[in-house]
């Protein structure tokens, strides 16, 4: 059984930085695409960033490009999301997810496993 556990969320001010981390267990982490999604109240879950199994390919939502960086450490079974210059619009619950696809996908239904989420709140 795959488990994904996020950490690192919190309350920050606009312009601050946060680093989210996701620890995975249950199957060979290095074989799978990993993604970060977020969901704000009253809105659908949206893709934030994704990284291929070997870290060789990444993808970002336009709204976070240039501010967020996704990375992974296959030796430690972790994936991170470095978030800089945070904006109030970034406020949401952030979810880590794992996909069987060999390339990065932005489609939530292509992800098999999800973490419980971590709250990020950015005040103006």
């Amino acid at each position: 059984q795959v488990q994904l556990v996020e950490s690192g969320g919190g309350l920050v001010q606009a312009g601050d930085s946060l680093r989210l981390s996701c620890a995975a267990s249950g199957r060979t982490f290095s074989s799978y695409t990993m993604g970060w999604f977020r969901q704000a109240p009253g809105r659908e879950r949206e893709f934030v960033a994704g990284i291929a199994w070997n870290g060789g390919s990444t993808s970002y939502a336009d709204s976070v490009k240039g501010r967020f960086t996704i990375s992974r450490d296959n030796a430690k079974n972790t994936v991170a999301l470095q978030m800089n210059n945070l904006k109030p619009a970034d406020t949401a619950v952030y979810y880590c997810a794992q996909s069987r696809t060999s390339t990065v996908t932005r489609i939530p239904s292509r992800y098999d496993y999800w973490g419980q989420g971590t709250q990020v709140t950015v005040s103006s």
Side-chain angles (χ1 to χ4, degrees):
Q1 185 72 9
V2 174
Q3 285 194 317
L4 303 174
V5 180
E6 303 98 335
S7 61
L11 171 63
V12 297
Q13 294 186 329
D16 285 351
S17 297
L18 272 179
R19 183 176 179 87
L20 305 183
S21 185
C22 173
S25 62
R27 64 181 181 182
T28 307
F29 177 78
S30 60
S31 298
Y32 300 96
T33 292
M34 298 298 296
W36 285 96
F37 289 76
R38 67 187 181 186
Q39 188 166 19
R43 302 190 65 175
E44 292 188 355
R45 190 169 298 189
E46 65 173 356
F47 174 82
V48 175
I51 187 166
W53 64 277
N54 62 353
S57 176
T58 58
S59 179
Y60 296 93
D62 288 344
S63 59
V64 307
K65 201 172 294 183
R67 299 188 297 123
F68 291 11
T69 302
I70 188 171
S71 61
R72 66 189 296 160
D73 185 337
N74 286 344
K76 296 182 178 179
N77 291 355
T78 58
V79 61
L81 185 68
Q82 177 66 40
M83 306 186 294
N84 298 329
N85 190 21
L86 283 160
K87 304 176 180 181
D90 295 318
T91 295
V93 177
Y94 283 71
Y95 297 91
C96 170
Q98 188 176 83
S99 172
R100 287 172 295 175
T101 59
S102 58
T103 57
V104 178
T105 176
R106 299 179 175 219
I107 304 171
S109 62
R110 299 285 179 90
Y111 287 79
D112 309 296
Y113 294 98
W114 295 80
Q116 82 288 351
T118 185
Q119 177 71 47
V120 172
T121 303
V122 185
S123 63
S124 58

